[in-house]
Amino acid sequence: PLFALWNNRNTLGAILVRAGRYRDALAELEACQAMKRSFTDDNRFSDFVLFALAHARLGNRAEAERYLKQTRALPQSPDIATGVEQRL
């Protein structure tokens, strides 16, 4: 099933952020976080960035800043694409 995989829910969260459906995006990202998976710093980075974007657009400044701070605290990724994103 489509929603059985955390990365599908993360991707849907990203699509919803891009579509301006921030509350729906947060619901998907929260569901994604609740799913059993092995967390890596790279997939935490993706989740944290999306949470920060959605909260910022909803005017939840404190929450956006909290997720942004968590994003910045992650170690540099060995993955080239994620490493570039971290430096932006």
Side-chain angles (χ1 to χ4, degrees):
L2 179 63
F3 294 111
L5 301 173
W6 70 265
N7 54 334
N8 290 347
R9 294 201 92 132
N10 175 280
T11 300
L12 180 56
I15 291 167
L16 291 167
V17 166
R18 296 278 311 217
R21 294 176 52 190
Y22 307 115
R23 292 187 198 291
D24 293 334
L26 289 174
E28 283 304 317
L29 293 167
E30 288 164 3
C32 176
Q33 288 282 304
M35 295 180 84
K36 185 177 175 133
R37 62 175 167 161
S38 59
F39 282 95
T40 67
D41 289 334
D42 285 358
N43 64 42
R44 280 191 177 99
F45 175 80
S46 173
D47 290 349
F48 292 164
V49 167
L50 293 169
F51 272 115
L53 288 169
H55 278 296
R57 291 297 189 165
L58 288 170
N60 303 332
R61 184 181 176 111
E63 281 297 294
E65 288 177 358
R66 183 173 72 86
Y67 281 107
L68 188 56
K69 184 176 180 178
Q70 289 176 335
T71 299
R72 290 182 175 147
L74 293 171
Q76 183 68 35
S77 174
D79 177 71
I80 293 171
T82 302
V84 169
E85 291 172 348
Q86 285 178 314
R87 289 189 295 274
L88 294 177

